[in-house]
């Protein structure tokens, strides 16, 4: 089940996002969280089963969502949780097309996603520049 990010989930969200290579730097990670909190186009969701085990974030522009972040707690990796998160996000967003960013393209390829959505987003944005 996806839960929309709220400020009271900040520590767990930062912990999950810090597993992404692009978010290792604390200042960059704090900037990313700030975008999800302040910019309505940036939407972060936490994935919960018994506990919160993953985070998935998108930047929505027009009728397209750029998958900016996807992270699963290492204890749950290799169990299809990332793919389940992506499917839950598709259900949540409805008709909005999801495309990977440079940071999430490898996940799309590894997950065996065969959809047309595999084309990388043309607009690659950096939280530091937005």
């Amino acid at each position: 089940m996806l839960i929309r990010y709220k400020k009271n989930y900040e520590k767990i969200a930062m912990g999950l996002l810090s597993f992404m290579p692009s978010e290792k730097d604390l200042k960059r990670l704090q900037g990313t969280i700030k975008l999800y909190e302040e910019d309505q186009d940036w939407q972060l969701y936490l994935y919960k089963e018994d506990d919160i085990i993953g985070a998935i974030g998108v930047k929505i522009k027009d009728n397209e969502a750029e998958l900016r972040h996807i992270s699963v707690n290492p204890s749950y990796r290799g169990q299809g949780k990332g793919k389940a998160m992506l499917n839950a996000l598709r259900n949540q967003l409805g008709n909005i097309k999801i495309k990977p960013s440079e940071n999430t393209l490898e996940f799309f390829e590894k997950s065996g996603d065969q959809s047309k959505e595999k084309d990388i987003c043309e607009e690659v944005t950096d939280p530091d520049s937005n």
Side-chain angles (χ1 to χ4, degrees):
M1 163 176 67
L2 288 182
I3 302 168
R4 184 76 189 258
Y5 170 80
K6 295 178 189 168
K7 182 77 172 164
N8 59 331
Y9 293 124
E10 182 178 39
K11 287 184 181 180
I12 194 157
M14 287 180 71
L16 288 164
L17 291 178
S18 72
F19 290 123
M20 293 197 65
S22 64
E23 299 296 333
K24 294 289 184 196
D25 178 70
L26 180 59
K27 287 188 182 202
R28 180 177 173 91
L29 180 59
Q30 289 171 329
T32 298
I33 290 293
K34 187 176 180 180
L35 278 171
Y36 283 121
E37 290 174 350
E38 296 176 357
D39 188 332
Q40 67 182 5
D41 293 338
W42 286 69
Q43 297 181 12
L44 181 64
Y45 297 90
L46 302 174
Y47 186 72
K48 183 175 181 176
E49 289 185 339
D50 291 332
D51 294 314
I52 295 173
I53 63 167
I56 189 166
V58 292
K59 179 181 180 189
I60 298 176
K61 185 176 180 182
D62 301 321
N63 208 22
E64 185 173 281
E66 178 184 9
L67 182 63
R68 299 291 300 159
H69 298 95
I70 185 161
S71 180
V72 177
N73 179 316
S75 300
Y76 294 89
R77 291 185 183 163
Q79 300 175 21
K81 304 299 182 186
K83 197 169 192 175
M85 288 169 48
L86 188 57
N87 288 333
L89 182 65
R90 282 190 178 108
N91 290 336
Q92 181 79 25
L93 298 179
N95 293 329
I96 296 176
K97 187 178 197 175
I98 302 170
K99 289 187 174 183
S101 65
E102 285 183 12
N103 292 332
T104 59
L105 180 61
E106 185 177 342
F107 167 76
F108 261 70
E109 292 171 345
K110 283 183 179 179
S111 72
D113 193 306
Q114 301 300 317
S115 70
K116 294 179 184 176
E117 300 169 37
K118 198 169 174 180
D119 300 328
I120 193 165
C121 273
E122 292 177 22
E123 177 188 354
V124 177
T125 55
D126 184 330
D128 297 330
S129 68
N130 191 331

